[in-house]
Amino acid sequence: MQTFLKNAEIAEAVNWRHHLHRNPELGFEETETSAFIAARLAEWGYAVTTGYGKTGLVGSLKRGMSSKAIGIRADIDALPIMEKSGVEYASRAAGKMHACGHDGHVAMALAAAKSLSSQAFDGTVHFIFQPAEENDGGGQAMVKDGLFRDFVMDGIYGMHNWPALDLGTCVARDGEMMAAFATFEIKVTGRGAHGAMPHEGADPIVAASQIVSALQTIASRNVSPLQSAVVSATQLHGGDAWNVIPEEVVIKGTTRWFDEQVGVKIETRLSAISNAIASAFDCMAEIDYLRRYPATTNDPICAGIVRNLVPQVPGVKVVDADPSMAAEDFSFMLQQKRGCYFWLGAKKSGSNPGLHSPYFDFNDDVLPLGANMWIALVQDQLKPA
């Protein structure tokens, strides 16, 4: 029988969260964060193993005789954003903040780990604290360093707070949850000229402008309307003077998809369109296209396990929602091990800044709900035979 968090335990977890929020660290730099986590886990009798993905760690606790084991993952890194939330425990590190709620994810996992250390179950739970989720692929780094070689587990589970969903709602979809993503950089090179004599040059600004517009036809004309695709140019750099046509313009952006064939189509069409338009304007295009994260795809059995847990957890209910075109590097773990990634609604009343906003602050009312979900999962999956 699971024991959920008591008020004093919730207050302690909130204090941990505020401490982490004050002291954010970017991807692969989370040395103090990892040390804080390791110290807590060791106090509660967990075997702590460090060095996965540089600053990642695993806390393992075995009870009983069963060989059953599950993994619970929490991401630990912050973002390079100047905080404007105004909270008392705001970031002390200029230009760094927990703008995605990873401080809350860590606190939820720690609270569950502490509670479970005094509960009975049959098997092994591995709490996985992952660095560098934001763009740098810490999940992939942990897998490459032998996470699943060194820690045998039957399934792995991850959670993210979701401010767009009502507090306490839970979304655990069968299949697609989050999109795959890539980044691109297109360098358009022409011939510079005086702004008053454009005919003497080959204008990369005009070429780049046409490329940005034409890239939108990939989703609208090259991909089926029944499939999902995003191509977004997010940066355009070129020129230094009012009266000079530059020699070079750089376009940067991101692409998103679920289906692998759609991902291939996006990449090939982006290259073909960029090269053809640049050539038509007597310019040249150089394309750097980098696939970053695969799609986050749940195992239906594991997603069903999460949904079936929800009635046991006070304050949480199952709802359905569309998948997100945002990306998540828990996908690298799900490529190797069956599991489930789910969202826990975190909407605040009144002002409710979204993820990655400089005004964002994790909703502490979610903390006991998430911790209790982890407790219920362990007790369900590692219950005595």
Side-chain angles (χ1 to χ4, degrees), residues 16-291:
W16 295 334
R17 207 279 290 181
H18 292 182
H19 166 78
L20 294 167
H21 194 89
R22 287 189 189 97
N23 300 281
E25 295 176 296
L26 302 181
F28 296 126
E29 299 175 1
E30 310 97 327
T31 54
E32 294 300 320
T33 303
S34 292
F36 177 87
I37 295 166
R40 305 286 85 69
L41 293 171
E43 288 174 10
W44 308 325
Y46 283 76
V48 178
T49 310
T50 60
Y52 291 86
K54 189 176 180 180
T55 47
L57 68 151
V58 181
S60 304
L61 186 66
K62 179 175 175 58
R63 291 276 191 267
M65 301 299 294
S66 174
S67 62
K68 295 183 296 184
I70 62 169
I72 292 172
R73 174 270 206 174
D75 37 15
I76 68 176
D77 56 320
L79 281 156
I81 295 174
M82 182 67 71
E83 182 161 2
K84 298 180 181 179
S85 70
V87 297
E88 178 272 328
Y89 45 85
S91 171
R92 295 172 177 170
K96 303 175 186 179
M97 74 169 288
H98 275 292
C100 202
H102 296 182
D103 50 343
H105 299 169
V106 171
M108 288 190 287
L110 286 177
K114 182 178 182 181
S115 180
L116 287 164
S117 70
S118 60
Q119 297 188 40
F121 55 88
D122 193 17
T124 303
V125 57
H126 301 293
F127 280 95
I128 301 160
F129 293 90
Q130 183 215 299
E133 187 278 325
E134 301 287 358
N135 295 313
D136 294 319
Q140 183 181 39
M142 291 192 81
V143 170
K144 286 183 175 179
D145 283 346
L147 175 66
F148 296 123
R149 176 198 66 210
D150 300 339
F151 301 94
V152 176
M153 59 191 81
D154 303 307
I156 188 165
Y157 298 82
M159 174 205 300
H160 206 294
N161 78 100
W162 212 251
L165 293 171
D166 289 339
L167 179 66
T169 53
C170 175
V171 177
R173 294 176 52 87
D174 293 349
E176 298 167 346
M177 281 292 293
M178 310 279 279
F181 98 101
T183 57
F184 63 85
E185 179 175 318
I186 306 166
K187 183 168 72 173
V188 183
T189 304
R191 296 190 307 279
H194 195 293
M197 292 167 267
H199 59 288
E200 295 181 354
D203 192 338
I205 289 181
V206 173
S209 299
Q210 295 294 321
I211 290 171
V212 169
S213 180
L215 291 180
Q216 302 312 304
T217 65
I218 297 174
S220 68
R221 290 297 179 269
N222 299 139
V223 176
S224 167
L226 302 179
Q227 294 179 303
S228 299
V230 173
V231 180
S232 292
T234 57
Q235 300 180 49
L236 191 63
H237 303 278
D240 298 296
W242 294 97
N243 60 346
V244 177
I245 294 171
E247 181 176 315
E248 180 181 296
V249 172
V250 175
I251 307 163
K252 297 183 181 182
T254 185
T255 63
R256 310 288 167 126
W257 68 93
F258 291 109
D259 183 86
E260 179 58 24
Q261 292 306 308
V262 172
V264 172
K265 175 69 74 173
I266 291 171
E267 183 174 1
T268 56
R269 291 300 297 148
L270 184 142
S271 178
I273 288 170
S274 301
N275 282 308
I277 291 178
S279 177
F281 285 87
D282 200 19
C283 296
M284 180 180 68
E286 297 176 59
I287 301 149
D288 183 10
Y289 191 92
L290 180 62
R291 290 188 174 219

Side-chain angles (χ1 to χ4, degrees), residues 1-6 9 44 46 61-64 111-123 125 371-372 374-380 382:
M1 176 67 69
Q2 67 264 22
T3 300
F4 292 139
L5 297 190
K6 299 177 175 63
E9 294 169 320
W44 308 325
Y46 283 76
L61 186 66
K62 179 175 175 58
R63 291 276 191 267
K114 182 178 182 181
S115 180
L116 287 164
S117 70
S118 60
Q119 297 188 40
F121 55 88
D122 193 17
V125 57
N372 289 339
W374 290 141
I375 292 167
L377 176 67
V378 172
Q379 291 293 358
D380 178 79
L382 302 182

